[in-house]
Amino acid sequence: MIGLLKKDFALLKSQLHFYLFPLIIMVGIFCVFTDGSALAAIPAFFGLMLSVNCFAYDEQSHFDKLAATMPVSHSGMVYARYLYGLLISVAAAVFATAATAVTMLVKKLPLDMAFLLIQMAAGIGVTLLIIAVFYPLVYKFGTQKSRLLVVVVILVPSFALPFLLNKLDESGVHLSFDFGGNPALLPILLVLLIAAGVAVSIACSLHVVRHREY
């Protein structure tokens, strides 16, 4: 599995310069026109894009067929790709949080460490959820078809949920998450839900890969 990770990071290293310019532009815009909190979107964006590149490279080079002739297990290939996604998500979230902190210091805004930690955790969590949706689809349908499916799966709920919550609020229905007066239960529940989603995603990906014909 270490060798598979090295392959993915070697590809990342060879293509990283293509992402530096848009990344610098994106960070600059967010830092100038906002307080930096919008940088929380960076982990999800780059986590997805860098994962797409790895899958696309494997398809173009027919790496799966090569791996089928090597002493590499199907589960090892899947676990390595998910671990790669996790490492990319964490790295991007740390970068986004650091950029937010620098923006706050430059603009002489109060540095809220709790907010920064929440932003970093949220960036990792959202990226893992996107990965949990994307990976089984790309294993099943390939990168080209799965891109459209991911857009539908992610964007439709993203637009529908605020609309639904707004309608509920207008009609006098308010959602309350009290958890018996213990606010710490909410982040714990969210972590468990994300972990469960990733576990289900891994199981689905393993099922697809093990039944694939080469």
Side-chain angles (χ1 to χ4, degrees):
M1 189 168 69
I2 299 299
L4 295 172
L5 277 176
K6 288 182 178 180
K7 173 186 71 68
D8 287 345
F9 278 105
L11 175 63
L12 171 63
K13 181 179 178 181
S14 66
Q15 296 185 343
L16 191 60
H17 60 282
F18 289 109
Y19 293 95
L20 286 179
F21 181 72
L23 177 61
I24 292 173
I25 296 298
M26 184 185 302
V27 171
I29 292 174
F30 286 155
C31 291
V32 171
F33 295 103
T34 72
D35 60 357
S37 59
L39 291 169
I42 286 181
F45 175 77
F46 278 92
L48 181 60
M49 290 301 299
L50 296 175
S51 295
V52 169
N53 283 350
C54 285
F55 279 108
Y57 176 81
D58 286 351
E59 285 185 5
Q60 293 172 4
S61 62
H62 303 288
F63 176 77
D64 290 346
K65 294 181 180 180
L66 175 63
T69 65
M70 300 171 62
V72 178
S73 65
H74 292 146
S75 58
M77 293 175 59
V78 173
Y79 290 145
R81 184 54 52 83
Y82 275 87
L83 180 57
Y84 169 82
L86 172 62
L87 294 176
I88 290 297
S89 303
V90 172
V94 171
F95 172 81
T97 303
T100 303
V102 171
T103 302
M104 290 180 171
L105 291 174
V106 170
K107 292 191 172 184
K108 298 181 179 180
L109 298 173
L111 195 62
D112 190 343
M113 294 304 299
F115 167 78
L116 293 175
L117 292 176
I118 291 174
Q119 173 182 303
M120 183 168 63
I124 296 172
V126 170
T127 308
L128 290 179
L129 286 177
I130 293 175
I131 285 174
V133 174
F134 176 73
Y135 280 17
L137 291 176
V138 75
Y139 275 123
K140 180 66 176 179
F141 301 106
T143 53
Q144 296 302 323
K145 293 181 180 179
S146 60
R147 287 176 183 177
L148 178 59
L149 292 173
V150 169
V151 169
V152 173
V153 170
I154 293 175
L155 289 186
V156 170
S158 298
F159 285 104
L161 183 58
F163 177 79
L164 177 60
L165 293 177
N166 184 53
K167 288 298 182 182
L168 289 174
D169 185 64
E170 290 177 356
S171 51
V173 179
H174 301 282
L175 299 179
S176 176
F177 301 96
D178 185 26
F179 296 104
N182 188 353
L185 289 179
L186 179 58
I188 293 175
L189 178 61
L190 291 176
V191 169
L192 292 176
L193 288 175
I194 293 172
V198 172
V200 172
S201 176
I202 292 175
C204 293
S205 296
L206 285 173
H207 176 78
V208 172
V209 171
R210 286 169 178 167
H211 291 81
R212 177 184 296 169
E213 295 183 0
Y214 296 95

